[in-house]
C-alpha cells in the first residue's frame, strides 16, 4: 500500500473519532444546562398546580362521578396484537386513584371594607 494513503486514512479515522467525542461532550453539556434551568425554574416557584391524574394516566374528568370508573378509550397498537391497524378498548381502571382537588369557595374580602 501507498504510505500516503495509509496516513490519509489514519487522519480521517482520527478526525472522525475526535469529532464524535467533541459532539457527544457538547450534547451532554447542553442536556446538563437544560436540566439545571428546569430545576431553577421549579425552585423559583414556576411550578403549576398539580393535576388530578389517576394511576391509569387519565384526568379526573374522564372518570364517572358515581362509580369512579374510567370512561376513556385506550389505543392498542397493531404491532402488539399482530394486526395491521390499531384497535381501541375500554380503559381497565376500576376507580379513580389520584389526588382529589380542593373545593373552591368564595369568601368576601373583609380587610379592604370602606363602609364606615
Amino acid at each position: 500500500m501507498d504510505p500516503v494513503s495509509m496516513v490519509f486514512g489514519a487522519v480521517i479515522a482520527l478526525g472522525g473519532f475526535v469529532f464524535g467525542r467533541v459532539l457527544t461532550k457538547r450534547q451532554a453539556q447542553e442536556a446538563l444546562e437544560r436540566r439545571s434551568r428546569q430545576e431553577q425554574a421549579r425552585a423559583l416557584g414556576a411550578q403549576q398546580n398539580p393535576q388530578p391524574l389517576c394511576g391509569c394516566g387519565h384526568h379526573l374528568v374522564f372518570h364517572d362521578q358515581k362509580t369512579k370508573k374510567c370512561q376513556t378509550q385506550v389505543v392498542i397498537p397493531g404491532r402488539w396484537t399482530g394486526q395491521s391497524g390499531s384497535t381501541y378498548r375500554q380503559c381497565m381502571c376500576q376507580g379513580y386513584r389520584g389526588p382529589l382537588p380542593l373545593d373552591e369557595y368564595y369568601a368576601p374580602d373583609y380587610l379592604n371594607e370602606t363602609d364606615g
Side-chain angles (χ1 to χ4, degrees), residues 3-114:
V4 175
S5 63
M6 289 182 66
V7 170
F8 186 67
V11 168
I12 289 176
L14 185 64
F17 177 75
V18 170
F19 181 73
R21 295 285 290 190
V22 169
L23 187 64
T24 304
K25 184 184 276 189
R26 185 176 178 187
Q27 289 174 346
Q29 286 176 345
E30 289 175 358
L32 186 63
E33 288 175 7
R34 190 177 326 119
R35 186 178 302 140
S36 67
R37 276 185 265 137
Q38 288 174 349
E39 289 177 6
Q40 284 177 346
R42 187 175 16 174
L44 292 175
Q47 196 173 26
Q48 296 180 356
N49 293 337
Q51 295 294 317
L53 293 178
C54 182
C56 66
H58 297 122
H59 199 274
L60 174 63
V61 297
F62 295 116
H63 291 78
D64 189 14
Q65 292 284 337
K66 295 177 184 169
T67 63
K68 302 293 185 190
K69 283 191 172 186
C70 193
Q71 301 294 318
T72 57
Q73 297 279 323
V74 180
V75 177
I76 302 173
R79 64 177 181 268
W80 290 356
T81 59
Q83 300 171 353
S84 61
S86 297
T87 58
Y88 296 91
R89 69 166 170 83
Q90 186 74 27
C91 182
M92 300 300 287
C93 178
Q94 295 297 312
Y96 179 72
R97 302 277 190 264
L100 295 174
L102 297 174
D103 294 332
E104 294 183 17
Y105 295 103
Y106 171 73
D109 188 13
Y110 292 117
L111 296 176
N112 295 329
E113 193 171 312
T114 57

